[in-house]
Amino acid sequence: MSEFSWIDHLRTGLGGGLTAPMGIGDDAALLASTAQERVIASDMMVEGVHFDRRWSSIADVAYKLYASNASDILAMGASVSGWLLSVALPADTTASAHEAWIDGVRAAQVHWGEAPLIGGDTTRSPSGLIASITMFGEIRDHLWARSGFKPRQRLWIDGELGLAAAGLALLTAGVTHDDYGVIAQHRRPQRWPSALPIGVRAGFDVSDGLSQDLMHGARASDCAMVIDTPLPGAERLMAVIAAHGGSLMPDRPIGAASDEHRAAAALVDQWQLAGGDDYVRVIAADDCPGEGWQTIGYVDSAPVALYDERQGARCPLKVGGWDHFRHDV
Ligand code: ADP
Ligand code: MG
């Protein structure tokens, strides 16, 4: 398939019926002016860094790239309204891989919201697949800013944490199937259904590990963040360890059941607080913002810090998460 038949294929499959100048086909796409405020974000995936072709198909990669971008848009209090796709494709990319791109994106749109592809760029990659989406969206009520958190507000989350990290741990340990959906969540992050809250002005996307993303919110809002409730997903992850503990924790303590439980709980904490790839949102609100939102803690006054009060007493919460340029990982 040539570059131009690939672009044509994308336009037909994902272009939402738009033609140039509003869609694919001219030097740039025209954006109509609207009364709504718009947000724009960009997220890239690189083979060998963000995905491993042994464990993720092309369709999975396309799905996840769309989901990660949509997650950023939703975390601004916006809904997805259009996107651009830039790809560097290895020379041996086949027509079935082109088909897989469309299938993966379509599957992601079911969970994450549908919007037309209006442009992009295509080039050859000397090795490995690189793909980036630039996505824009329209604010639905108010902007959810990282800097909008206020002391005494509760923190609410719209999905489970740590699943994708557990899925990756299973795959890395050679386990290719689980009954808990964690491998599926690593490959194709689903979005848990949640009501669109009204009146919210603070929020962020959790994609690099809850503790790290909480810290970004704390810094931007000059406040402390406290977790005081078991995190959603913890029970499911304990069940994953009960089923696959031998593969996941080859050096786990043998003997007292309480030691084993403690080691499992520590691993669950690691996945939930520092795992990454969760693609859920944390927002601030005084009361429950609606169906699908669970509380995990509260905002406290400055200085900037993270605390864990899940056992009652206040302890500092260690910041951990994904950082591409950290050398000690
Ligand atoms: P130019 O040479 O002006 O950059 P291109 O040949 O790269 O033009 O692109 C032609 C048209 O196809 C443009 O409208 C561009 O936005 C679109 N396009 C190219 N690659 C992609 C892609 N990967 N996804 C969506 N649209 C694309
Ligand atoms: Mg171009």
Side-chain angles (χ1 to χ4, degrees), residues 272-309:
Q272 295 206 289
L273 292 168
D277 273 353
D278 291 306
Y279 306 117
V280 295
R281 276 137 300 282
V282 169
I283 59 175
D286 295 331
D287 303 304
C288 180
E291 213 170 312
W293 293 92
Q294 293 180 61
T295 190
I296 56 168
Y298 63 98
V299 185
D300 207 351
S301 36
V304 170
L306 299 188
Y307 298 111
D308 186 351
E309 291 181 354

Side-chain angles (χ1 to χ4, degrees), residues 3-4 6-7 10 24-27 85 87 117-122:
E3 175 187 339
F4 299 103
W6 149 250
I7 294 171
L10 288 172
I24 291 173
D26 211 319
D27 295 315
L85 172 66
V87 284
L117 174 64
I118 61 161
D121 201 19
T122 304

Side-chain angles (χ1 to χ4, degrees), residues 212-296:
Q212 182 156 296
D213 289 320
L214 272 175
M215 195 60 176
H216 291 149
R219 285 210 181 95
S221 296
D222 190 29
C223 65
M225 301 283 197
V226 187
I227 57 170
D228 65 359
T229 309
L231 298 172
E235 279 176 24
R236 192 200 295 239
L237 296 176
M238 287 302 274
V240 169
I241 294 178
H244 299 283
S247 312
L248 292 167
M249 300 193 299
D251 307 323
R252 73 187 153 154
I254 314 255
S258 61
D259 288 349
E260 210 166 306
H261 187 270
R262 205 171 304 125
L267 184 54
V268 167
D269 244 16
Q270 169 71 21
W271 287 333
Q272 295 206 289
L273 292 168
D277 273 353
D278 291 306
Y279 306 117
V280 295
R281 276 137 300 282
V282 169
I283 59 175
D286 295 331
D287 303 304
C288 180
E291 213 170 312
W293 293 92
Q294 293 180 61
T295 190
I296 56 168

Side-chain angles (χ1 to χ4, degrees), residues 32-195:
S33 60
T34 109
Q36 292 302 97
E37 276 190 297
R38 282 197 279 226
V39 292
I40 186 160
S42 181
D43 236 354
M44 178 188 274
M45 283 176 67
V46 176
E47 185 167 345
V49 177
H50 298 90
F51 60 94
D52 187 317
R53 292 286 300 282
R54 285 173 298 171
W55 302 326
S56 295
S57 69
I58 294 286
D60 293 339
V61 171
Y63 181 111
K64 196 165 180 172
L65 182 63
Y66 191 91
S68 71
N69 277 275
S71 184
D72 281 330
I73 298 295
L74 296 177
M76 298 299 284
S79 54
V80 175
S81 50
W83 54 293
L84 295 105
L85 172 66
S86 294
V87 284
L89 299 169
D92 60 359
T93 305
T94 60
S96 69
H98 294 164
E99 213 51 65
W101 263 96
I102 307 228
D103 292 347
V105 169
R106 286 234 178 95
Q109 288 180 331
V110 171
H111 286 282
W112 292 92
E114 202 171 334
L117 174 64
I118 61 161
D121 201 19
T122 304
T123 177
R124 192 153 79 104
S125 164
S127 93
L129 169 67
I130 301 174
S132 170
I133 285 179
T134 299
M135 191 174 269
F136 55 95
E138 290 181 6
I139 304 285
R140 310 220 306 201
D141 176 36
H142 298 288
L143 178 77
W144 301 355
R146 276 190 191 180
S147 57
F149 290 84
K150 302 264 186 302
R152 286 178 298 283
Q153 289 178 314
R154 295 279 325 161
L155 297 169
W156 304 85
I157 197 163
D158 70 348
E160 297 184 20
L161 288 163
L163 273 51
L168 180 59
L170 286 179
L171 289 166
T172 309
V175 179
T176 54
H177 174 80
D178 75 282
D179 290 331
Y180 305 92
V182 298
I183 290 176
Q185 189 66 16
H186 166 74
R187 291 190 174 129
R188 295 189 177 209
Q190 69 163 305
R191 177 185 168 206
W192 279 268
S194 60

